Amino acid sequence: TRYRVLITKVPPKPQTEADKLRQELTKAGIPVFKAEIPRLKAFDTASAKGKLVCDLNERTALRGWEAYEKAGKEIFSGK
């Protein structure tokens, strides 16, 4: 397959919506990235300011950027 689903806006634990979605997609035979993008206020702030999340000086911004880096590495590695 040449596609995979990237689960985004993942709520923090103990909420389990993303885990349930991943299980259902996998059960249906739909390929899913291992990486996932958390739901963070930093993404809203970056969008409102017209900036990348990595350019913000916020506590959660680094976490958001690292999540996208992880997804990117997964894309380029093909794994």
Side-chain angles (χ1 to χ4, degrees), residues 59-75:
R59 183 175 56 86
T60 60
L62 179 60
R63 185 170 157 230
W65 184 251
E66 287 173 345
Y68 272 106
E69 282 184 325
K70 185 176 178 182
K73 287 177 183 176
E74 195 173 339
I75 290 167

Side-chain angles (χ1 to χ4, degrees), residues 8-79:
T8 63
K9 295 189 176 184
V10 175
K13 302 290 183 201
Q15 296 181 45
T16 60
E17 290 93 345
D19 294 333
K20 290 177 185 174
L21 175 59
R22 182 180 303 281
Q23 289 173 358
E24 289 297 317
L25 290 168
T26 301
K27 184 177 173 183
I30 299 170
V32 182
F33 282 99
K34 293 175 187 168
E36 55 188 32
I37 309 302
R39 182 180 65 207
L40 300 172
K41 185 177 185 295
F43 290 121
D44 295 330
T45 302
S47 176
K49 291 183 176 183
K51 293 185 173 189
L52 298 174
V53 74
C54 65
D55 294 332
L56 295 181
N57 191 16
E58 289 190 17
R59 183 175 56 86
T60 60
L62 179 60
R63 185 170 157 230
W65 184 251
E66 287 173 345
Y68 272 106
E69 282 184 325
K70 185 176 178 182
K73 287 177 183 176
E74 195 173 339
I75 290 167
F76 285 109
S77 72
K79 296 179 183 179

